Amino acid sequence: MAPVEDFKPATTNQPGRLFPQVNSERRVRASLAAPQANSVQLDLGGKKYALTKNEKGIWTGESLPQDEGFHYYQLLIDGAAVPDPGSLYFYGAGRLGSGIEIPATDRDFYSLKAVPHGMITENIYFSKLTNSWRRCFVYTPPGYTNDQKRRYPVLYLQHGSFEDETGWAMQGKANLILDNLIADKKAVEMIIVMDNGYAYKPQTGMQQDNNARSVSVFEEVMINEIIPMTDLKFRTIADREHRAIAGLSMGANQTMRIMMNNLDKFAYVAGFSGTSNYPGTDTLNPETFLDGKFKDGASVNKKIKVLWLSLGTKEPAPFPGSVGAFRAMLDRQKIKYAYAESPETGHEWLSWRRGLYGFAPLIFKN
């Protein structure tokens, strides 16, 4: 069946580029000038679509309907994977590459609107723990520059595997989500710190020679470097009652462990499409999981003000199983938590945008 011919340039295109395009069926049309190529394919959503060349050497073709939300993709030119020159580039899947936005029916909550807007700033710092320069991006809310005496709570927000500190600001639209929530008086004004979850201890000469596996020290970097730096550079309320930590996928695993190891530092936690790594089993033992941090449900309830979990309804394995096992353990321990599902989304950014949209209004309210 021929696609509906109401294609429009994607909102994720480079300025002035007409392709790629998306139609009302959520099909993607790609187009590329490559007169010397023998074959060109659109690699999107786990499927490869052959493009057809015309007499001018321009290759064009369409995908099947895609799920709503943001998706990474690439073009295959004679088998070589390359970014689409028409797309903006985003860091995901371990590299800078193409991404495309398929308009969602509920996109209003992360849309750019005529409301007061906060700022995202780049913060560069030297980490003694990793012996390297690092950076984080920091969102300050719309009112931050108006009252120099006012202080704010902080949400530490982490990306997923093979992504970096740009993810929540670029693909996640965290700033627009908070701008809109604050304008609607659904969330309090807060600072958001988005750092890189990959942090490794420097290797010795012997370790380097033996190609030893790097040891992650992100928890130590968060507690001993990122939080103190944030409290020093920004007008924060520097206590656990005014700190939250959240993350997606790998970032959810990291934040759940950091939270439970540092309950003196945080009062709110969220895991979007993840909880914490555990050996392949459908049952979690609270006596051993995360060193028994969940075995005393009453104590956990006293310390954690909000524990939020969310998951897309089309998430692949192992995410439904791992989140389900974690929820079952919480239920057995009578630990309070909130859970939400993102309809018709998988392990991708619309699921996580919806997760943040649900979590942010619950924190720092009392």
Side-chain angles (χ1 to χ4, degrees):
M1 182 181 296
V4 175
E5 289 297 332
D6 56 359
F7 285 91
K8 296 179 180 179
T11 59
T12 39
N13 285 6
Q14 295 187 30
R17 297 299 180 97
L18 296 179
F19 292 92
Q21 299 181 344
V22 183
N23 75 352
S24 59
E25 299 173 298
R26 305 197 303 272
R27 295 176 186 263
V28 173
R29 173 172 284 169
S31 184
L32 179 73
Q36 302 303 315
N38 294 310
S39 71
V40 177
Q41 294 174 299
L42 168 64
D43 184 359
L44 171 65
K47 185 176 176 61
K48 298 177 178 64
Y49 301 91
L51 276 58
T52 302
K53 183 169 69 172
N54 67 11
E55 67 280 0
K56 296 181 179 180
I58 298 175
W59 297 79
T60 306
E62 297 85 27
S63 74
L64 293 172
Q66 301 296 303
D67 291 339
E68 296 180 345
F70 178 92
H71 305 284
Y72 300 114
Y73 77 100
Q74 57 191 350
L75 297 176
L76 302 178
I77 303 176
D78 290 339
V82 299
D84 185 340
S87 161
L88 292 173
Y89 297 157
F90 305 86
Y91 190 81
R95 50 128 175 99
L96 280 169
S98 301
I100 190 165
E101 189 76 37
I102 308 298
T105 53
D106 61 343
R107 61 186 177 275
D108 183 72
F109 77 88
Y110 57 84
S111 295
L112 178 61
K113 301 179 185 178
V115 300
H117 291 283
M119 295 188 297
I120 292 181
T121 56
E122 181 183 39
N123 184 41
I124 298 173
Y125 64 98
F126 186 80
S127 165
K128 292 182 179 179
L129 286 165
T130 65
N131 193 35
S132 66
W133 289 99
R134 292 173 56 86
R135 69 174 178 174
C136 59
F137 287 92
V138 180
Y139 166 83
T140 48
Y144 188 81
T145 58
N146 298 337
D147 184 353
Q148 296 298 310
K149 295 182 179 180
R150 183 177 174 184
R151 292 185 170 271
Y152 297 83
V154 185
L155 166 62
Y156 293 86
L157 186 61
Q158 288 306 121
H159 61 85
S161 58
F162 300 107
E163 295 178 333
D164 68 5
E165 65 275 16
T166 64
W168 272 109
M170 294 292 293
Q171 297 95 295
K173 301 183 181 293
N175 58 317
L176 297 181
I177 292 172
L178 264 295
D179 288 342
N180 293 336
L181 283 171
I182 292 167
D184 290 339
K185 301 188 184 306
K186 293 180 179 179
V188 304
E189 293 193 38
M190 67 185 76
I191 295 168
I192 302 178
V193 178
M194 298 161 278
D195 209 291
N196 191 312
Y198 292 101
Y200 299 104
K201 184 178 180 179
Q203 295 180 335
T204 66
M206 180 70 72
Q207 289 173 325
Q208 291 173 344
D209 291 342
N210 294 334
N211 293 318
R213 184 175 181 180
S214 298
V215 177
S216 175
V217 290
F218 180 66
E219 179 175 340
E220 292 87 344
V221 171
M222 172 63 75
I223 298 301
N224 299 316
E225 294 184 331
I226 299 171
I227 292 177
M229 174 187 63
T230 302
D231 289 338
L232 180 64
K233 288 188 173 183
F234 296 88
R235 299 195 312 276
T236 68
I237 305 174
D239 61 43
R240 74 175 298 273
E241 303 294 318
H242 296 89
R243 282 196 204 102
I245 187 165
L248 67 93
S249 194
M250 178 191 81
N253 301 344
Q254 291 175 320
T255 57
M256 198 63 66
R257 180 173 293 277
I258 291 171
M259 172 76 179
M260 298 309 295
N261 287 341
N262 300 276
L263 286 169
D264 61 324
K265 298 289 193 298
F266 304 96
Y268 308 86
V269 63
F272 313 131
S273 301
T275 51
S276 190
N277 293 329
Y278 66 95
T281 174
D282 293 330
T283 302
L284 297 183
N285 182 350
E287 297 291 329
T288 58
F289 178 69
L290 279 184
D291 301 320
K293 294 294 194 305
F294 288 92
K295 65 182 180 181
D296 186 347
S299 176
V300 172
N301 284 333
K302 288 180 180 179
K303 293 176 180 177
I304 300 180
K305 290 193 170 185
V306 175
L307 196 171
W308 168 278
L309 303 173
S310 60
L311 192 70
T313 61
K314 298 176 72 173
E315 300 248 14
F319 302 102
S322 63
V323 173
F326 185 69
R327 290 180 62 203
M329 183 196 68
L330 296 179
D331 290 337
R332 289 195 304 273
Q333 301 306 109
K334 296 182 170 53
I335 295 173
K336 299 175 183 177
Y337 68 95
Y339 174 72
E341 290 187 342
S342 171
E344 297 301 310
T345 57
H347 201 67
E348 51 91 0
W349 278 101
L350 184 53
S351 295
W352 307 324
R353 292 171 187 168
R354 288 170 173 168
L356 177 60
Y357 181 69
F359 177 60
L362 302 180
I363 60 179
F364 310 132
K365 288 297 183 71
N366 50 40

